[in-house]
Amino acid sequence: MNWTDERVEKLKKLWAEGLSASQIAAQLGGVSRNAVIGKVHRLNLPGRVKAGGPVTSARSAPKRAAAPAPRAANFAGRVGTAPARVLTRSNAATALQEEIGIETAEVLDYVPSRNVVTPISRRLTLTELTERTCKWPVGDPLKDDFHFCGCEALESSPYCKFHAKLAYQPVSERRKA
């Protein structure tokens, strides 16, 4: 079936009158409901609101769990929720509006703990490391002040005693967390 100019005009007229795609297909004859819907979309005809009130989604937006509080006390800041945003999406010939809450997170600032004693590192570069030095990286590798701990490493570890405790936690403690 070809869409002649006459049939397209009739489709536009019936669509503007509010007939359903099935009713238009029956009146045009020789065309399916899906063909009518496809032609409506290709012609960019405006969507219609169903009679009986405001446009709502058939199913409500899923409830979101409250955002958990930050885990570590080392971080300042909090996680917040942005105000609900109206999202319009196209569903067949009807445009639906749905309000959804979008969770956003604020940037957390790192606040180091003050009650932790760390050993003084030797501040070695990569080329200065040996088999017996601690290879714990300190700082950002992209910055000039990046270095390795360099303290004396344990016999069976690439790290000193302090950094080995950070790197290798007992199984029972990991399971508790």
Side-chain angles (χ1 to χ4, degrees), residues 61-69 79-82 101-104:
K63 300 284 183 189
R64 298 198 186 260
V79 176
T81 303
I102 299 174
E103 294 180 14
T104 59

Side-chain angles (χ1 to χ4, degrees), residues 10 14 36 44 46 59 70 73 117 131 140-141 151 160:
K10 187 170 183 180
L14 295 173
V36 169
N44 291 325
R59 55 190 164 106
V117 178
E131 296 174 358
D140 183 359
C151 292
C160 63

Side-chain angles (χ1 to χ4, degrees), residues 74-147:
N74 293 6
F75 291 95
R78 59 189 168 91
V79 176
T81 303
R85 215 172 69 180
V86 176
L87 173 70
T88 305
R89 62 181 175 151
S90 179
N91 182 7
T94 307
L96 298 176
Q97 286 189 347
E98 182 177 354
E99 286 190 23
I100 58 172
I102 299 174
E103 294 180 14
T104 59
E106 293 179 16
V107 176
L108 301 178
D109 297 323
Y110 177 70
V111 179
S113 297
R114 300 188 197 291
N115 61 354
V116 177
V117 178
T118 59
I120 298 173
S121 70
R122 292 179 49 203
R123 302 180 63 89
L124 298 181
T125 62
L126 181 63
T127 57
E128 297 171 325
L129 293 176
T130 66
E131 296 174 358
R132 304 285 301 150
T133 56
C134 177
K135 295 161 186 69
W136 188 268
V138 179
D140 183 359
L142 300 176
K143 304 283 177 149
D144 290 335
D145 64 343
F146 176 74
H147 61 276

Side-chain angles (χ1 to χ4, degrees), residues 39-80:
K39 191 64 175 176
V40 165
H41 283 290
R42 286 189 298 278
L43 293 171
N44 291 325
L45 296 180
R48 298 171 303 189
V49 178
K50 292 182 181 177
V55 177
T56 57
S57 175
R59 55 190 164 106
S60 62
K63 300 284 183 189
R64 298 198 186 260
R71 290 188 331 175
N74 293 6
F75 291 95
R78 59 189 168 91
V79 176

